[in-house]
Amino acid sequence: TYLRQFMEKPPPVPTLKPEQRAILKTNYNSLQKIFNRIQQQLTIIDHEIDISDLELKLKPLETLLKRLEKAWEVAQEFEELYLRMKQQLEQVAKYFSQLKQGKSIPVQPEVYLDQLLDTCDRLADELDALEAQKHSIHELELPYRQLIEKVQSLKEFVDELHS
């Protein structure tokens, strides 16, 4: 019955939401323990009877376990990407603030903007790759858009400085 509940649930979906990530991880760990126990028992009885039919019946469970594992890995990718975008946004905001206030800046604006645009391109490529793998990236679109808007504002400010 416990396994049936797992099997009847919709496919696992990677997410940034902490409560859903915790559920995903718990489900994966629980299912992994069950699967390992079954495998151990099959190994024991394999010496006495042919277990190929039993192993075949385990395939859906193994498939579900792989899906959970993949969803967890992608959820970790989501979080890592989100944190990088958030950190980059904070750095851009700090740089922008220093520039507006006339404080000394560690890198010339044009050089910094080139680096930022390269970073944004790499982030876009990573988002595209996730989307190409059929993952919904809607949770990552807002932080990316915020970063792009901040970079655009910085670019406009720098352009005004030079005109």
Side-chain angles (χ1 to χ4, degrees), residues 122-145:
R122 282 192 303 276
L123 291 169
D125 290 344
E126 289 181 56
L127 290 170
D128 289 345
L130 286 168
E131 200 168 39
Q133 295 170 16
K134 305 288 188 231
H135 298 294
S136 171
I137 59 167
H138 73 278
E139 292 176 308
L140 297 168
E141 289 172 337
L142 178 61
Y144 179 73
R145 198 168 31 256

Short mmCIF file of all heavy atoms in Angstrom, two decimals, residues 122-145:
data_model
loop_
_atom_site.label_atom_id
_atom_site.label_comp_id
_atom_site.label_asym_id
_atom_site.label_seq_id
_atom_site.Cartn_x
_atom_site.Cartn_y
_atom_site.Cartn_z
N ARG A 122 25.51 33.06 -20.28
CA ARG A 122 25.72 31.71 -19.73
C ARG A 122 24.50 31.25 -18.94
O ARG A 122 24.07 30.10 -19.05
CB ARG A 122 26.98 31.66 -18.85
CG ARG A 122 28.27 31.61 -19.65
CD ARG A 122 29.47 31.26 -18.78
NE ARG A 122 29.68 32.18 -17.67
CZ ARG A 122 30.32 33.35 -17.76
NH1 ARG A 122 30.82 33.74 -18.90
NH2 ARG A 122 30.47 34.11 -16.69
N LEU A 123 23.94 32.17 -18.15
CA LEU A 123 22.73 31.83 -17.38
C LEU A 123 21.58 31.49 -18.32
O LEU A 123 20.84 30.52 -18.10
CB LEU A 123 22.34 32.98 -16.45
CG LEU A 123 23.29 33.25 -15.28
CD1 LEU A 123 22.94 34.57 -14.60
CD2 LEU A 123 23.26 32.10 -14.28
N ALA A 124 21.43 32.27 -19.38
CA ALA A 124 20.36 32.00 -20.36
C ALA A 124 20.57 30.64 -21.01
O ALA A 124 19.60 29.89 -21.21
CB ALA A 124 20.33 33.10 -21.42
N ASP A 125 21.82 30.31 -21.31
CA ASP A 125 22.12 29.00 -21.90
C ASP A 125 21.74 27.87 -20.93
O ASP A 125 21.20 26.84 -21.35
CB ASP A 125 23.60 28.89 -22.26
CG ASP A 125 23.98 29.76 -23.45
OD1 ASP A 125 23.07 30.23 -24.18
OD2 ASP A 125 25.20 30.00 -23.63
N GLU A 126 22.02 28.06 -19.65
CA GLU A 126 21.67 27.04 -18.66
C GLU A 126 20.15 26.90 -18.54
O GLU A 126 19.64 25.78 -18.43
CB GLU A 126 22.28 27.38 -17.30
CG GLU A 126 23.79 27.21 -17.27
CD GLU A 126 24.38 27.52 -15.91
OE1 GLU A 126 23.95 26.90 -14.91
OE2 GLU A 126 25.28 28.39 -15.84
N LEU A 127 19.45 28.02 -18.55
CA LEU A 127 17.98 27.97 -18.51
C LEU A 127 17.43 27.27 -19.74
O LEU A 127 16.51 26.45 -19.65
CB LEU A 127 17.41 29.38 -18.38
CG LEU A 127 17.63 30.09 -17.05
CD1 LEU A 127 17.23 31.56 -17.13
CD2 LEU A 127 16.88 29.39 -15.93
N ASP A 128 17.99 27.61 -20.90
CA ASP A 128 17.56 26.97 -22.15
C ASP A 128 17.80 25.46 -22.11
O ASP A 128 16.96 24.68 -22.59
CB ASP A 128 18.28 27.58 -23.36
CG ASP A 128 17.82 29.00 -23.67
OD1 ASP A 128 16.76 29.41 -23.16
OD2 ASP A 128 18.54 29.69 -24.43
N ALA A 129 18.94 25.07 -21.55
CA ALA A 129 19.26 23.64 -21.47
C ALA A 129 18.26 22.91 -20.57
O ALA A 129 17.80 21.81 -20.90
CB ALA A 129 20.68 23.44 -20.95
N LEU A 130 17.89 23.53 -19.46
CA LEU A 130 16.89 22.92 -18.57
C LEU A 130 15.55 22.81 -19.28
O LEU A 130 14.86 21.80 -19.19
CB LEU A 130 16.75 23.73 -17.28
CG LEU A 130 17.90 23.61 -16.29
CD1 LEU A 130 17.78 24.67 -15.19
CD2 LEU A 130 17.93 22.21 -15.67
N GLU A 131 15.19 23.86 -19.99
CA GLU A 131 13.92 23.86 -20.71
C GLU A 131 13.93 22.82 -21.84
O GLU A 131 12.92 22.15 -22.08
CB GLU A 131 13.65 25.26 -21.27
CG GLU A 131 12.20 25.50 -21.61
CD GLU A 131 11.93 26.96 -21.88
OE1 GLU A 131 12.77 27.65 -22.49
OE2 GLU A 131 10.84 27.41 -21.48
N ALA A 132 15.07 22.67 -22.49
CA ALA A 132 15.20 21.68 -23.56
C ALA A 132 15.04 20.26 -23.01
O ALA A 132 14.62 19.36 -23.74
CB ALA A 132 16.54 21.83 -24.27
N GLN A 133 15.36 20.08 -21.73
CA GLN A 133 15.18 18.78 -21.08
C GLN A 133 13.75 18.61 -20.57
O GLN A 133 13.46 17.70 -19.81
CB GLN A 133 16.16 18.63 -19.92
CG GLN A 133 17.61 18.60 -20.32
CD GLN A 133 18.53 18.70 -19.11
OE1 GLN A 133 18.13 18.49 -17.98
NE2 GLN A 133 19.78 19.02 -19.36
N LYS A 134 12.87 19.53 -20.97
CA LYS A 134 11.43 19.49 -20.64
C LYS A 134 11.14 19.82 -19.18
O LYS A 134 10.14 19.38 -18.62
CB LYS A 134 10.82 18.12 -21.00
CG LYS A 134 11.03 17.69 -22.44
CD LYS A 134 10.18 18.51 -23.37
CE LYS A 134 10.27 17.94 -24.77
NZ LYS A 134 10.57 18.89 -25.78
N HIS A 135 12.02 20.61 -18.55
CA HIS A 135 11.77 21.05 -17.18
C HIS A 135 11.13 22.43 -17.23
O HIS A 135 11.54 23.28 -18.02
CB HIS A 135 13.06 21.12 -16.36
CG HIS A 135 13.75 19.81 -16.22
ND1 HIS A 135 13.20 18.76 -15.52
CD2 HIS A 135 14.94 19.37 -16.69
CE1 HIS A 135 14.03 17.73 -15.56
NE2 HIS A 135 15.09 18.08 -16.28
N SER A 136 10.14 22.64 -16.39
CA SER A 136 9.53 23.96 -16.30
C SER A 136 10.47 24.88 -15.52
O SER A 136 10.83 24.58 -14.38
CB SER A 136 8.18 23.87 -15.57
OG SER A 136 7.69 25.16 -15.31
N ILE A 137 10.84 25.98 -16.14
CA ILE A 137 11.79 26.90 -15.50
C ILE A 137 11.09 28.17 -14.99
O ILE A 137 11.76 29.16 -14.69
CB ILE A 137 12.93 27.27 -16.46
CG1 ILE A 137 12.39 27.94 -17.71
CG2 ILE A 137 13.79 26.06 -16.80
CD1 ILE A 137 13.45 28.61 -18.57
N HIS A 138 9.78 28.12 -14.86
CA HIS A 138 9.04 29.34 -14.49
C HIS A 138 9.52 29.94 -13.16
O HIS A 138 9.52 31.14 -12.99
CB HIS A 138 7.53 29.10 -14.48
CG HIS A 138 7.04 28.28 -13.33
ND1 HIS A 138 7.09 26.90 -13.33
CD2 HIS A 138 6.52 28.65 -12.13
CE1 HIS A 138 6.61 26.45 -12.18
NE2 HIS A 138 6.27 27.48 -11.44
N GLU A 139 9.98 29.10 -12.23
CA GLU A 139 10.46 29.62 -10.94
C GLU A 139 11.78 30.39 -11.10
O GLU A 139 12.13 31.19 -10.24
CB GLU A 139 10.68 28.48 -9.95
CG GLU A 139 9.41 27.80 -9.51
CD GLU A 139 9.69 26.63 -8.59
OE1 GLU A 139 10.51 25.76 -8.95
OE2 GLU A 139 9.07 26.58 -7.51
N LEU A 140 12.49 30.14 -12.17
CA LEU A 140 13.79 30.79 -12.39
C LEU A 140 13.68 32.00 -13.32
O LEU A 140 14.63 32.77 -13.44
CB LEU A 140 14.77 29.77 -12.98
CG LEU A 140 15.11 28.59 -12.09
CD1 LEU A 140 15.85 27.52 -12.86
CD2 LEU A 140 15.91 29.04 -10.89
N GLU A 141 12.54 32.17 -13.96
CA GLU A 141 12.42 33.26 -14.93
C GLU A 141 12.40 34.63 -14.27
O GLU A 141 13.02 35.56 -14.77
CB GLU A 141 11.17 33.05 -15.79
CG GLU A 141 11.34 31.90 -16.75
CD GLU A 141 10.07 31.52 -17.49
OE1 GLU A 141 8.95 31.82 -17.00
OE2 GLU A 141 10.18 30.91 -18.57
N LEU A 142 11.72 34.77 -13.13
CA LEU A 142 11.65 36.07 -12.46
C LEU A 142 13.03 36.55 -12.00
O LEU A 142 13.42 37.68 -12.31
CB LEU A 142 10.66 36.05 -11.30
CG LEU A 142 10.56 37.36 -10.51
CD1 LEU A 142 10.08 38.50 -11.40
CD2 LEU A 142 9.64 37.18 -9.31
N PRO A 143 13.81 35.72 -11.29
CA PRO A 143 15.13 36.22 -10.89
C PRO A 143 16.02 36.54 -12.10
O PRO A 143 16.80 37.50 -12.05
CB PRO A 143 15.73 35.11 -10.03
CG PRO A 143 14.83 33.95 -10.15
CD PRO A 143 13.53 34.40 -10.72
N TYR A 144 15.88 35.78 -13.16
CA TYR A 144 16.68 36.07 -14.36
C TYR A 144 16.23 37.40 -14.96
O TYR A 144 17.07 38.24 -15.32
CB TYR A 144 16.53 34.94 -15.40
CG TYR A 144 17.33 35.21 -16.65
CD1 TYR A 144 18.71 35.11 -16.66
CD2 TYR A 144 16.69 35.61 -17.82
CE1 TYR A 144 19.45 35.39 -17.80
CE2 TYR A 144 17.42 35.88 -18.97
CZ TYR A 144 18.80 35.77 -18.95
OH TYR A 144 19.52 36.06 -20.08
N ARG A 145 14.93 37.61 -15.05
CA ARG A 145 14.40 38.86 -15.60
C ARG A 145 14.84 40.06 -14.74
O ARG A 145 15.20 41.11 -15.26
CB ARG A 145 12.87 38.78 -15.70
CG ARG A 145 12.26 39.78 -16.62
CD ARG A 145 10.79 39.56 -16.94
NE ARG A 145 9.97 38.93 -15.93
CZ ARG A 145 9.57 37.65 -15.96
NH1 ARG A 145 9.92 36.87 -16.97
NH2 ARG A 145 8.80 37.15 -15.01
#
